[in-house]
Amino acid sequence: MTNIPETGRTPRVQIRLVVIQVLVVSLLLTLGGRLWYLQIRNGDEYAKEASGNHVQQVVQPAVRGSILDARGVPLADNETRLVVSASRTDLMKMKDDGKGVLTKLADVLGVKPKEVTDKVRLCDSKTPQPCWNGSPYQPIPITDEATPKQALQIRERSEDFPGITAEPTAVRRYAAPGEANTAQVLGYLSPVTDNEIAKAKDTESPYLRSDQVGRSGLEREYDKELRGKAGVTRYEVDNLGRVIGQAKADKAEPGANVVTSIDARVQRIAEYELNEAMKEARKAFDKNTNENYKADSGAVVVMESKTGRVVAMASNPSYDPNAWVGGISGKDYAKLTGKTSNYPLLNRAIQGQAAPGSIFKVIPTTAAVNAGYPFDGRYECSSSYSVGNQVFKNYESKGYGAISLGQALEVSCDTVFYRLSHDEWKKDGGIKPKKDPADWFYKTAHQFGLGKETGIDLPNEVTGRVPDRQWKQSFWKANKTAWCKTGKRDGDYVQKLSYENCLEGNLLRAGDSVNYAIGQGDTLVTPIQMATIYSAISNGGTLYNPTLGKAIVSPDGKTVKEIAPKSHGKLPMTKKTRDEIDGALAGVATRGTAAWRFGGWPQDKIPMHAKTGTAEVYGKQTTSWFATYTDDYTIVMTIAQGGTGSGASGPAVRKLYNALYGVSPDGKIDSKQALLSQPQKSLPKIQGDGSIEAPKIEPYDPKKDEPPAEQQLAGPAGTAALGRRD
């Protein structure tokens, strides 16, 4: 056997090792180069592609809770409609981006193709409505008013309508039971905005893009409770939008129901009678302007006197909140918000401000007593009262001689309050006030709750205005430049007024105090403020926050959270003063300015109290006010440019009381005809499955409450029967 020397194999091994080393180095260089290419050279590009593989959400909207009246009658609930929707993801996969399918769909629905294509485009800063503000992965509703025939066509010819569905879906409905519209109280829904989503991101109740949220009324105030929790299914998708897996699914939870203190039966009458009162006012001639009264807006509030719960609240002009369901059209939106619309979206019960006229006089009466003037003292009710060169007249220039404060309320004597306010103004230093003036008449108004919100559970309540010294100063600062620019010493009335305001518009003048004492001048109140005040007089002095929400009931009915009445203070009067004012207001209804509207009323069984008011407004016709209460209810009605208090608003208020207590036109009480002789205390009955029993509401028949022809004409002789000012 021949031995091979070791030195003979060494070169081969070394060559192989070198080749392997070269291959390894080459591979490392290739991998390194590739990594550099992927991570550095084209890193941004691949990062963008990778970001396309992420999770998308498909939302199943929660069924919104119902808004019910005090007996369980639905005011706002949901109904099943045939909703036609489009999957934008499926449409975008088509060569023409789904235009052909949408055109065929428009033909089936009987609309123009543009109406359909506009609805599936995504909203941005440059895209006007209609457009889709939700997730592009969410089915986009095209219409919620599809007929069964249209839905059947789409479903039977599914191959012609890829990406299109027609399914029964719960849609918001404003039921208007018995024609009780309740529009401004309920509010409406519209899609959530990007700003709202961002603001609510870290809160307990974040929004999803598909959410519909309350925009006004109870829909907004109780949105969190009503909205529920949407179901969310999360899908993993690639950059082409293809689903590659399901990540997680959360089940939808329906919203809770809100039981209100509204009684749909009373609400329908309040709306009808307010509208009728306005129509009748437009038939009356205004001798001051030589034309009929315009009666262009009005409001009425029916409130439980002992709790502040609102039984009915109507505002006119009104609208149909169903116009917002499924997205409002541009034409309908213009009708609700345009310059000629008279703004029906406003709830004039809480947002309508006007001078209160003589229904304000309970406040200066209280102020006078608190300032030391005896209620039963004697005060001159002359036909007029002079302040400098200006003469302030009593209504119809009529005088009653020396009368008490109670009698001044009954006959609504202006000059008594002129004198009292002027005397207090002088005691406080007049045009050059003391360091700490008492300001009884202004301070008392604030103590009654004026100049601030009542705390009602509705959004966007306004505060009204108490024109005291502080307000005069701030108003003067804000307007001085304009007054000085337009004012003229020898100009017309407005120019002269601007000239005076330029010089001393920050000073509380004698004329300001005199006008203020009878609810005129710069004083502004809302109907809900005055209802709160008169209900407090009725209940002994407690100022309640007006409330509409009575209870929150969980979807299964197992959890009921009652909303208790809350007080925000007491009237600034003793029990003795309250009783004296209460007696005077009873006198207004039985022998004073409201007596002709309560002829035949069963005063011995249901004591009625009232105050009439007619507020003068520069450049406009007078505002009608009528404030009333019993032990159970307080009703306040106002009609802008409607004429006199008892003349315009009085008949409607009387009919509301007739319906509540079952009082016939001749004054007899029929308990079987009474809608609500006592406020509703119990909640509606809740079934085991969470549903609530709801009685049916019949439309209102106004004819049964019409008094005999001879009683319609009855009333004090002369001009009072045509409607005196107060």
Side-chain angles (χ1 to χ4, degrees):
M1 186 172 179
T2 307
N3 292 327
I4 299 173
E6 289 292 330
T7 54
R9 287 189 291 182
T10 299
R12 291 181 184 178
V13 172
Q14 288 177 341
I15 291 170
R16 288 174 183 170
L17 289 173
V18 170
V19 170
I20 291 171
Q21 288 173 351
V22 170
L23 288 173
V24 170
V25 171
S26 298
L27 287 172
L28 289 173
L29 288 173
T30 301
L31 288 172
R34 185 60 178 167
L35 287 172
W36 175 87
Y37 180 81
L38 292 174
Q39 295 183 5
I40 300 176
R41 174 67 174 78
N42 280 5
D44 292 340
E45 179 183 341
Y46 285 104
K48 289 180 181 178
E49 289 187 17
S51 67
N53 298 331
H54 56 284
V55 175
Q56 284 290 350
Q57 297 182 155
V58 173
V59 178
Q60 178 192 356
V63 176
R64 194 171 179 87
S66 298
I67 301 175
L68 311 170
D69 88 338
R71 302 192 308 151
V73 177
L75 301 172
D77 59 3
N78 307 289
E79 64 178 349
T80 301
R81 294 188 190 176
L82 287 170
V83 177
V84 175
S85 302
S87 169
R88 194 173 187 278
T89 302
D90 290 342
L91 295 175
M92 292 301 103
K93 293 177 182 178
M94 302 175 192
K95 292 181 179 180
D96 62 351
D97 294 333
K99 290 180 181 178
V101 172
L102 295 177
T103 300
K104 285 188 286 186
L105 178 62
D107 184 57
V108 170
L109 298 177
V111 298
K112 295 179 180 179
K114 188 176 185 302
E115 292 183 40
V116 177
T117 55
D118 283 354
K119 287 190 175 183
V120 299
R121 60 185 179 176
L122 301 181
C123 292
D124 57 31
S125 59
K126 297 180 181 179
T127 305
Q129 290 283 348
C131 58
W132 177 244
N133 194 43
S135 167
Y137 292 90
Q138 186 76 20
I140 302 172
I142 304 299
T143 180
D144 59 10
E145 297 180 345
T147 65
K149 181 180 178 181
Q150 291 168 338
L152 194 61
Q153 282 182 272
I154 293 167
R155 299 190 71 166
E156 285 187 341
R157 295 162 49 198
S158 57
E159 69 279 1
D160 292 334
F161 297 101
I164 307 298
T165 57
E167 301 289 344
T169 307
V171 176
R172 200 59 165 170
R173 177 186 72 141
Y174 297 97
E179 300 179 0
N181 192 27
T182 331
Q184 292 88 352
V185 171
L186 294 173
Y188 59 91
L189 305 176
S190 70
V192 68
T193 65
D194 289 340
N195 286 338
E196 288 170 330
I197 292 172
K199 287 181 180 179
K201 186 177 180 181
D202 298 322
T203 65
E204 293 180 6
S205 183
Y207 291 122
L208 296 173
R209 280 192 173 275
S210 61
D211 279 338
Q212 294 272 317
V213 296
R215 290 298 173 205
S216 67
L218 295 171
E219 291 279 31
R220 176 174 169 181
E221 187 73 18
Y222 292 100
D223 182 74
K224 182 179 176 181
E225 291 82 0
L226 291 165
R227 187 160 26 104
K229 185 178 179 182
V232 180
T233 302
R234 296 167 181 83
Y235 292 100
E236 293 180 4
V237 298
D238 62 17
N239 63 312
L240 296 177
R242 294 172 298 198
V243 176
I244 58 177
Q246 181 175 324
K248 189 179 179 183
D250 297 323
K251 193 176 180 180
E253 299 175 8
N257 299 316
V258 175
V259 178
T260 71
S261 54
I262 293 288
D263 188 297
R265 301 168 301 172
V266 182
Q267 179 71 26
R268 67 182 177 178
I269 300 174
E271 292 176 1
Y272 178 88
E273 293 299 347
L274 173 62
N275 190 58
E276 288 299 301
M278 292 170 63
K279 290 197 307 190
E280 286 299 312
R282 294 184 196 116
K283 297 176 184 178
F285 184 73
D286 180 9
K287 63 182 180 180
N288 294 319
T289 60
N290 291 318
E291 61 179 338
N292 284 11
Y293 286 104
K294 294 182 175 66
D296 52 2
S297 63
V300 60
V301 176
V302 182
M303 181 186 291
E304 294 179 8
S305 296
K306 293 182 175 67
T307 64
R309 296 193 188 281
V310 177
V311 179
M313 177 182 283
S315 178
N316 193 306
S318 191
Y319 69 98
D320 182 4
N322 287 299
W324 295 89
V325 177
I328 191 167
S329 69
K331 185 178 180 181
D332 286 341
Y333 187 77
K335 287 181 181 178
L336 297 180
T337 61
K339 291 182 179 180
T340 59
S341 67
N342 202 14
Y343 309 108
L345 295 179
L346 284 177
N347 184 347
R348 285 171 165 83
I350 67 169
Q351 296 172 306
Q353 303 180 106
S358 290
I359 68 167
F360 182 75
K361 287 176 180 173
V362 293
I363 294 169
T365 299
T366 305
V369 173
N370 290 348
Y373 299 87
F375 189 87
D376 291 327
R378 310 309 290 172
Y379 306 94
E380 184 63 27
C381 178
S382 56
S383 61
S384 64
Y385 183 73
S386 297
V387 177
N389 296 325
Q390 192 170 1
V391 178
F392 294 85
K393 293 184 178 182
N394 205 20
Y395 183 67
E396 296 175 346
S397 298
K398 189 173 183 179
Y400 290 88
I403 60 176
S404 68
L405 288 177
Q407 291 171 314
L409 283 174
E410 286 185 27
V411 300
S412 207
C413 179
D414 292 341
T415 52
V416 166
F417 297 98
Y418 290 154
R419 281 186 168 84
L420 291 171
S421 181
H422 192 203
D423 286 346
E424 282 303 300
W425 177 81
K426 287 186 286 187
K427 287 180 182 179
D428 286 332
I431 203 75
K432 295 181 180 179
K434 299 174 183 178
K435 184 178 180 181
D436 294 306
D439 280 340
W440 278 109
F441 280 60
Y442 297 97
K443 181 172 71 175
T444 303
H446 285 293
Q447 292 171 332
F448 267 74
L450 296 183
K452 57 186 176 184
E453 298 174 357
T454 63
I456 190 170
D457 53 345
L458 287 176
N460 303 319
E461 180 188 6
V462 299
T463 63
R465 181 167 68 208
V466 177
D468 54 17
R469 299 178 195 278
Q470 292 74 23
W471 176 82
K472 288 281 287 185
Q473 181 67 26
S474 61
F475 191 68
W476 179 70
K477 284 183 178 180
N479 294 278
K480 181 182 178 182
T481 302
W483 283 333
C484 294
K485 186 176 181 180
T486 60
K488 290 183 180 180
R489 180 185 291 181
D490 300 321
D492 59 25
Y493 173 78
V494 175
Q495 291 172 327
K496 287 180 180 178
L497 188 63
S498 294
Y499 177 78
E500 292 177 10
N501 284 333
C502 170
L503 297 178
E504 53 179 29
N506 60 324
L507 301 179
L508 189 65
R509 293 170 286 202
D512 295 326
S513 289
V514 166
N515 248 337
Y516 166 79
I518 62 165
Q520 298 282 175
D522 294 311
T523 308
L524 292 176
V525 302
T526 63
I528 195 66
Q529 287 176 327
M530 299 313 295
T532 301
I533 287 170
Y534 275 84
S535 67
I537 298 173
S538 172
N539 69 40
T542 301
L543 290 160
Y544 282 104
N545 297 9
T547 53
L548 291 116
K550 198 171 183 180
I552 308 296
V553 181
S554 63
D556 58 9
K558 294 180 180 178
T559 304
V560 179
K561 179 183 176 183
E562 294 195 42
I563 302 170
K566 293 181 181 178
S567 166
H568 60 265
K570 291 276 188 179
L571 292 178
M573 60 175 69
T574 64
K575 183 181 183 302
K576 180 175 181 294
T577 301
R578 179 266 162 197
D579 292 344
E580 289 170 331
I581 290 176
D582 180 74
L585 296 177
V588 174
T590 55
R591 57 183 177 268
T593 57
W596 68 299
R597 285 307 184 195
F598 287 105
W601 181 259
Q603 188 73 9
D604 57 332
K605 297 181 176 63
I606 308 171
M608 179 63 65
H609 307 74
K611 189 73 193 81
T612 57
T614 306
E616 297 173 358
V617 182
Y618 177 76
K620 292 187 176 183
Q621 296 168 312
T622 53
T623 300
S624 168
W625 285 94
F626 204 58
T628 60
Y629 66 81
T630 62
D631 289 344
D632 304 299
Y633 299 105
T634 297
I635 301 179
V636 172
M637 180 178 283
T638 183
I639 300 175
Q641 303 196 90
T644 65
S646 59
S649 300
V653 172
R654 171 65 188 265
K655 288 178 181 178
L656 273 165
Y657 279 116
N658 287 349
L660 283 166
Y661 289 107
V663 178
S664 64
D666 60 2
K668 295 180 180 178
I669 301 173
D670 184 350
S671 58
K672 293 181 180 179
Q673 295 297 318
L675 292 183
L676 206 60
S677 57
Q678 292 182 342
Q680 178 82 21
K681 293 182 179 179
S682 61
L683 293 173
K685 186 177 180 180
I686 304 169
Q687 302 299 312
D689 60 356
S691 62
I692 296 176
E693 286 188 354
K696 290 184 178 180
I697 302 292
E698 298 297 329
Y700 172 49
D701 179 12
K703 292 183 179 180
K704 68 177 183 179
D705 288 325
E706 288 292 337
E710 64 273 12
Q711 189 174 327
Q712 292 184 42
L713 299 175
T719 57
L722 300 176
R724 64 159 275 152
R725 187 185 69 158
D726 289 316

